Each structure stands twice: as structure tokens, then as C-alpha cells.
Amino acid sequence: MTKIVGDPNYIAVVGPVNSGVAKAQIPISNAAGLLQCSPSNTNTALTVGDAAKALRTKPNNYIRVVTNDAIQGPAAAAYIITVLKKTSVYIIDDTETFGKGIADSFEAEFKKRGGTVVKHDAAPKTTQDYVSIMTAAKALNPQSIYFGGVTASGGARIALAAAQVGLDVPFVGPDGINDGSGDTKDSFLNLANKVAKNAYSTLAGPGTFEGKDKFDADYKKEYGIDATGYAGQGYACTQVVLDALARAAKTNPKDSAALREAVRVAGTDTTYEYTLDVGKVKFDANGDTSQLIVSIYSFDPAAAKGKGDWKYETQVDAAQK
Amino acid sequence: MTAIASPAAQPNPLSRGIRMTVIAVVAVVAYMLILWVLLFGLGGRTVANAFPEALQQTVNALSIGAIYALIALGYTMVYGIIELINFAHGDIFMLGAFLATVFIAGITGNNDAVTNIPLLIVLLLGALVFTMPIIGLLNVGIERAVYRPLRHAPRLAPLITAVGVSFILQNVALTIAGSGDRKSPQIFPLDWTIPIGGAQVSILSIFIFVLAMLLMLALQAFVSRTRLGRAMRATAQDQEASALMGVDANQTISLTFLIGGVLAAAAGLVWGLRFGFVRFDLGFNSGLKAFTAAVLGGIGNITGAVIGGFIIGFIENGAASLGYSRWSEFLVFVILTLVLLFKPTGILGQLTGDRA
């Protein structure tokens, strides 16, 4: 990021993918006044509260087209209670910024809705023996499991261990495990394919939008792989940047530094309504989107030519509560 | 000088063996009972529910402990004979896990459980016969190529080199296998369990424990009863004097690395069977825990490494059982620190001159 802000040819950045990376990047891009649009950062502390303020020394430069974990975690809790009709849950997070954050917001909502949290345990990604942890979980008789984290920090390992001890209940996780079909290298479904029949995941954005079929087909044609997870959001961010650039150009900035600042101002304009592939969107002063939609996915073992894939189930719109 | 434990030198090895076994059984039962009490005391279980859970967790602890013990043996034997902390040993274990995975997945072609018992046995034996010599010889090769030229160099040189070898092995695995988890076929059917006292003890756990025990007993017999084993003990005690007595030090040291690699390969196989994944940095954490186990038991001491491995397994399991998984590593290292503070030689170790 330091290299990018130092090069006047860069006027905006699409990314990053991970919240932890954003936490490190925002102070640098903010000081340089470089517009950043993330397609997938969902950590609440990046935009809201004192932690977010601490990342910024100058006016806001960071926006994101997905909603945050304060919306994503509770959506999963609502789905487990109202649709899956499970009233108790065992929560395990990976102790990291994203995983713990979303597990906490999930827990609060689950309790608020009258559900029972039998235990909220945490296991860092260096944990060796998940079987012992799942043995303890099974003894508590939860009706469901919620995992706060990503595949690389143990998502699939926990699902495998749960199967090993015979804990056969819905396994629900955030966008961190919605990372591609069973055919995608390193994905949750690829690793936990055999035991994923009861798995659910969420995405902090609309799982379907107008023209999604065409988008998916075009994506496949262009890149040769299936559009997964936040591909639509990545495209939306690019639309945001191009839109901001077009409006910035109208102000006739005199040099590249002025152009960069004009793009930042246009991009973070809280009054402007963008028309993106995922719908009509405004960004608030923190950089969060007005679109409070979380999509729920279940496992479809027949998809992706029998390798299994996430199947869009429904979406929860927190704006329409 | 550190001596590899020499039970043959004890007045009566058989009675010592029986005594050790009794102590081990008492310790395991004590752990189970304490866990039982803690589970209904702190964990909010009912007295009746807590018992099968405590039993189940004790079985889990024996499985992970057996894996740590197998790896720890490689650390302790190498330290015992050339006083080198072989930091690459964890990665040798990781490569063993990968090789076993490649072998089994290559034959079965999928990740399904194998319910055909003869086929399962053939697969397991095949995986052992395939991985053990390769990993063992790789370990010998590393010693020959890298550590031997540095044998008389200052102590720090081989130590740093071992760290370097560890990075090389990790990056080889990273390059070939990529950075994510890799599926490891779990060929033991999950529903193969034996009901004991309300718990479901999986055949896999029994297999892991029995395999580890057989290998450890074979090692003990080898070190204490054979000519080569005696040469190992002699070299460990005094390399120069044993060389004067006609013991080939290079051959003996190679043998030590071979055995360490073979045991690590077996640990790698059972790791994949139990946890269903392997990854390139697996050796780092497992290696660190196993090294801790070796130090805890008294580095250089074979029995100590086994005891240390099980202790680490039980500590981790205890933390996980009571819902404090995030503290398990903290606990392991606190206990290590305490042991080193109050008994710097470890549980069974002897005082050594200087440590690298």
C-alpha cells in the first residue's frame, strides 16, 4: 500500500479482500487521501466506532459495498432460529479480528431472540486437536454449530472433527466459509465435502441481483472459473471507482494529486446514489453501504458436477425490519 | 554428556517396565477421574453425563499424546546422540503426513471410508511400508548433507542450520502442495466404534494408540537389547571413547536419524487419518509441541519423551474438554516453564554440560 500511495498514477484501489489487511492499509491510504473500495471487508470496527476513527487521520477515504458483521452475524442467528427452528447453538471462533467479531455479534442476536448459547469457545488457527473440542461440544447437546472464522483458520477442520465425533447438526458459518464450490482449491466445500450436508453460510451482500445469470456467464467466459462469493461485489467496486472518476473529471483537477483528491471526494459523497450491478446504493459518512442485505446459502451436493456448491436460499434485509 | 536412557543398565528391567506401566495406568485413570469431577463441577454437566465424556476425552488425549510422543522421540534421540536440537524434525513429520496422504489417496482415489477390513489393513501397512523408509532416508540424507559437515563446528552453527532446513522443507511443501489445507483420506469408517462405559471409543483411536505403543516398545527393545542399540547408547555417552572401541559414529548417528524419521512418518500417517487434513506448516506447531514434550520429559531420554508427549496431549485435551481451547498452548508453555524452573533437566533427564 505504501508503494501504491507513493505512485501518483494510482487514483483509487479496489480491495482489499480481508478485514485484517484493511486494518493495516486504511491508515496508509487515508493519510494519502486515496479512495479504497472493498468488495468484501465486513469487520464492523473498520467503519464504526473509536477503532475506526483511530485508523483515520484525514477525511474518510474507505467505502465498502458489502454490509458489516454487525448485520451479517445477526442474520445467521435469525435464520437458525426462524427458518432452521433450532433454539440452541454451540459457537466456536478462531480468535481473530473477523472471526471473534462476527461470533460475538451472532451470539448477542441469538440470545436476544431467545436462543440458548450452550458454549462460546475459541480455538486459534494453530490448534492441533479439534476432535477433543468437538467431543466437548457434543456433550453439551447443541442443536446447531456456529463457526466464526474462515476456512483457512479452521472452518473445514472443525466440520470434519464434528463429523468424527458424531455431532450431526447444522453447521453455520459466515462468508469466510462461502469460498467456492467443492471444485475450488482450498475452499470449505472442497475440504469438508463429505461432511457438509448440513452446512450453511452467509454472504454480506445480495446473493442474487438483476442480471446475475448473465454476470456469471460473462465471468466464466472471461476468466474460465466460476464467479464465486463476492465476484459481483468486486465488479460493483470497480463501477464505484469509475463512476467517481467520471464525476471527478468534471471538476477539471489540475494535476494527479488534485485528481486523486477529487476521486476521493466524489467516491465518498454521502448524497450520491450509485447504480451498481448489485442495486442502488449510497454510502454513509463511515463508508458503509445503505444496502443491509445478507444472503443465506445451503449446501447442494449435486451442484458443480457432483462436487457440491453453495446454493442460494434466501436473503435477510435488515433495512426492512 | 547426555545419555539416551538405558533401561538395560537398570538392575531389573522387567520390574522397571511393570512399575512404569502401573504408574502410567494410574495416571491415565487419575486424569479421567479428575476430568469427570471438573466436568460436573465446573463444566455444568450432570454427574452421570460427565463420566462417558471424561472417558471419551481420555481416549482423545491418548491419541493426540501418542502422536506428540512419536514426534518427540525424534527430537530426543538426535539430541541424545549429537546434542543438536533438530528443528527440522517437525517438518519431517509434516512430509510424512503428506506422503501417507498421497499414498492412500493415490490408491483409493477418493476420500471414502474403507469398510473392507483386509483392504484397510493392506492400505495401512502399505502406507507405513511406503512412507517410513522414504522419510527415514530423507532424514538420514539431511544429516549426511547438512549436519555432518558441521558436527565439529561451534554449537550454534548446526542449530541455525536446522532452522534453515526446517524452512526449506516447509517451502518445498508449500511450493508443491500450496498454502491451503489438503484433504487427507479418512479411511477408517466413522461409525466403527466400541461402546465402553457409555462412551463411543473409535477403532481409529485404538489403532493410533496401539501402533504408537508397538513402535515405542520396538524402539526400547532395539536400543536396550541389540548390538546397534548398544552402539547408539555408547555413542551418546561418549562419542570419542566409543569410536576408540570400534563403534562407527557416522553409521550410528545415521541410524538415529533413520529411526527418528521412521517414527515421524508413522505419526504423519495417523495424523492424516485422524484429522483429515494436512498442510505445509503442520510441522511447525506439532514440532514445537513435540519439542516441548521432549524437553518436559528430559531431552535425550527416550522414556521421558514418551511421557512428555502424553503429558502435552493431556494438557491440551484438558483445556479443550473444559472449554478453554484458546488457553491450551498457554498452559502447555506455562507448565514447560515451571518444569524448567524447578527441574531444569526435565522429568527424567540427567544433568548435561551445555545445551545448544
Side-chain angles (χ1 to χ4, degrees):
Chain A
M1 184 47 75
T2 309
K3 200 174 150 193
I4 290 172
V5 298
D7 185 339
N9 289 325
Y10 288 98
I11 52 141
V13 169
V14 173
V17 171
N18 296 315
S19 293
V21 177
K23 210 170 163 182
Q25 285 186 348
I26 292 172
I28 304 168
S29 62
N30 182 263
L34 182 66
L35 179 70
Q36 257 193 295
C37 176
S38 168
S40 58
N41 294 159
T42 55
N43 188 263
T44 313
L46 293 175
T47 51
V48 186
D50 290 344
K53 282 199 190 90
L55 296 175
R56 294 164 174 78
T57 48
K58 295 209 171 139
N60 186 34
N61 69 311
Y62 173 87
I63 52 180
R64 53 183 170 194
V65 296
V66 288
T67 187
N68 61 37
D69 292 339
I71 306 289
Q72 192 190 179
Y79 185 76
I80 291 177
I81 288 187
T82 58
V83 181
L84 297 179
K85 308 273 186 222
K86 305 290 179 192
T87 55
S88 72
V89 69
Y90 172 87
I91 305 173
I92 181 161
D93 71 58
D94 63 1
T95 72
E96 292 183 24
T97 312
F98 165 69
K100 184 176 185 319
I102 195 160
D104 287 345
S105 66
F106 170 89
E107 181 177 2
E109 178 74 12
F110 200 84
K111 283 180 176 160
K112 208 171 88 191
R113 287 175 175 266
T116 312
V117 175
V118 298
K119 176 83 196 166
H120 182 162
D121 202 354
K125 66 178 172 198
T126 51
T127 300
Q128 316 269 318
D129 185 5
Y130 286 101
V131 174
S132 295
I133 300 175
M134 285 298 116
T135 302
K138 188 180 181 220
L140 297 164
N141 277 320
Q143 292 174 7
S144 58
I145 303 173
Y146 186 77
F147 167 67
V150 300
T151 304
S153 70
R157 292 171 225 160
I158 291 171
L160 286 168
Q164 184 141 332
V165 302
L167 181 53
D168 189 13
V169 295
F171 181 95
V172 186
D175 50 0
I177 67 166
N178 190 318
D179 51 5
S181 71
D183 211 13
T184 309
K185 203 176 155 196
D186 294 346
S187 72
F188 175 82
L189 292 183
N190 179 276
L191 292 161
N193 201 299
K194 295 276 171 238
V195 299
K197 62 180 189 296
N198 236 340
Y200 297 84
S201 65
T202 55
L203 278 187
T208 186
F209 44 83
E210 215 172 302
K212 181 157 195 310
D213 290 342
K214 184 176 180 321
F215 176 83
D216 286 350
D218 290 349
Y219 188 97
K220 174 95 179 175
K221 206 166 115 197
E222 183 68 26
Y223 302 108
I225 51 169
D226 288 322
T228 57
Y230 288 125
Q233 278 70 20
Y235 186 72
C237 258
T238 313
Q239 289 179 310
V240 166
V241 170
L242 292 175
D243 192 318
L245 179 62
R247 282 179 292 133
K250 285 183 191 145
T251 64
N252 292 320
K254 58 182 183 339
D255 57 14
S256 54
L259 176 63
R260 184 185 275 188
E261 175 61 13
V263 169
R264 186 195 67 74
V265 171
T268 56
D269 183 354
T270 56
T271 58
Y272 186 76
E273 187 176 61
Y274 289 90
T275 306
L276 308 174
D277 62 344
V278 292
K280 289 197 187 302
V281 166
K282 275 185 181 180
F283 296 100
D284 65 16
N286 294 326
D288 271 327
T289 171
S290 57
Q291 199 176 41
L292 305 181
I293 293 175
V294 175
S295 311
I296 314 279
Y297 290 77
S298 67
F299 177 59
D300 177 5
K305 297 190 185 81
K307 305 255 185 191
D309 199 355
W310 294 111
K311 185 177 83 192
Y312 171 71
E313 282 285 330
T314 181
Q315 59 190 31
V316 180
D317 191 345
Q320 296 175 349
K321 227 185 258 179
Chain B
M1 285 288 148
T2 313
I4 289 184
S6 46
Q10 297 282 330
N12 189 343
L14 189 66
S15 75
R16 182 177 181 271
I18 292 170
R19 206 173 67 230
M20 297 278 302
T21 312
V22 171
I23 293 175
V25 170
V26 168
V28 169
V29 172
Y31 173 82
M32 194 185 80
L33 295 176
I34 292 170
L35 189 59
W36 180 25
V37 172
L38 287 177
L39 279 175
F40 69 74
L42 294 174
R45 271 63 147 190
T46 63
V47 175
N49 282 345
F51 182 76
E53 191 187 351
L55 182 61
Q56 190 87 57
Q57 291 290 23
T58 307
V59 174
N60 288 344
L62 286 172
S63 294
I64 189 77
I67 294 175
Y68 288 148
L70 282 177
I71 311 172
L73 283 168
Y75 280 99
T76 218
M77 287 171 61
V78 166
Y79 186 86
I81 205 147
I82 54 172
E83 293 183 22
L84 165 72
I85 295 170
N86 184 11
F87 278 112
H89 190 68
D91 302 289
I92 290 287
F93 154 74
M94 175 272 295
L95 290 178
F98 263 108
L99 208 56
T101 292
V102 168
F103 177 84
I104 296 177
I107 290 186
T108 61
N110 57 37
N111 291 299
D112 291 341
V114 178
T115 45
N116 179 339
I117 296 174
L119 178 63
L120 183 65
I121 294 172
V122 167
L123 269 176
L124 293 172
L125 285 179
L128 286 173
V129 169
F130 178 72
T131 52
M132 282 175 149
I134 296 181
I135 297 298
L137 288 175
L138 173 71
N139 211 13
V140 170
I142 290 171
E143 191 274 330
R144 180 69 193 83
V146 184
Y147 301 145
R148 190 175 298 179
L150 293 171
R151 195 173 299 158
H152 300 289
R155 192 58 58 78
L156 220 49
L159 185 78
I160 299 298
T161 309
V163 176
V165 171
S166 162
F167 279 112
I168 291 171
L169 296 181
Q170 252 185 54
N171 282 286
V172 165
L174 176 62
T175 310
I176 297 173
S179 62
D181 291 8
R182 290 286 157 266
K183 264 187 292 194
S184 192
Q186 294 185 295
I187 55 175
F188 269 88
L190 295 179
D191 52 2
W192 277 15
T193 53
I194 302 174
I196 300 173
Q200 297 290 329
V201 176
S202 69
I203 305 282
L204 174 61
S205 310
I206 298 172
F207 168 76
I208 292 175
F209 185 73
V210 169
L211 176 71
M213 278 297 140
L214 286 178
L215 288 170
M216 289 167 198
L217 289 175
L219 174 69
Q220 190 74 303
F222 176 82
V223 171
S224 59
R225 307 232 187 283
T226 65
R227 220 179 126 74
L228 285 169
R230 201 180 325 139
M232 268 171 74
R233 281 184 284 132
T235 308
Q237 240 171 36
D238 190 331
Q239 214 177 99
E240 279 169 20
S242 62
L244 288 173
M245 298 296 150
V247 175
D248 185 341
N250 284 338
Q251 187 201 333
T252 311
I253 292 168
S254 290
L255 181 67
T256 309
F257 275 85
L258 180 75
I259 295 173
V262 162
L263 295 175
L269 166 72
V270 297
W271 171 277
L273 294 177
R274 183 152 178 86
F275 297 110
F277 77 95
V278 286
R279 55 182 284 135
F280 77 100
D281 58 0
L282 189 63
F284 181 77
N285 254 279
S286 312
L288 201 59
K289 299 256 177 67
F291 169 64
T292 309
V295 175
L296 195 60
I299 194 152
N301 187 304
I302 288 178
T303 319
V306 174
I307 294 174
F310 281 108
I311 290 179
I312 302 278
F314 277 96
I315 295 172
E316 270 196 13
N317 177 269
S321 306
L322 297 169
Y324 297 99
S325 314
R326 79 192 83 181
W327 295 104
S328 70
E329 290 187 6
F330 168 81
L331 269 175
V332 165
F333 292 108
V334 162
I335 290 178
L336 173 75
T337 312
L338 291 177
V339 167
L340 288 181
L341 274 177
F342 296 106
K343 195 167 187 312
T345 52
I347 296 168
L348 291 182
Q350 294 145 13
L351 206 60
T352 64
D354 58 330
R355 288 167 187 272

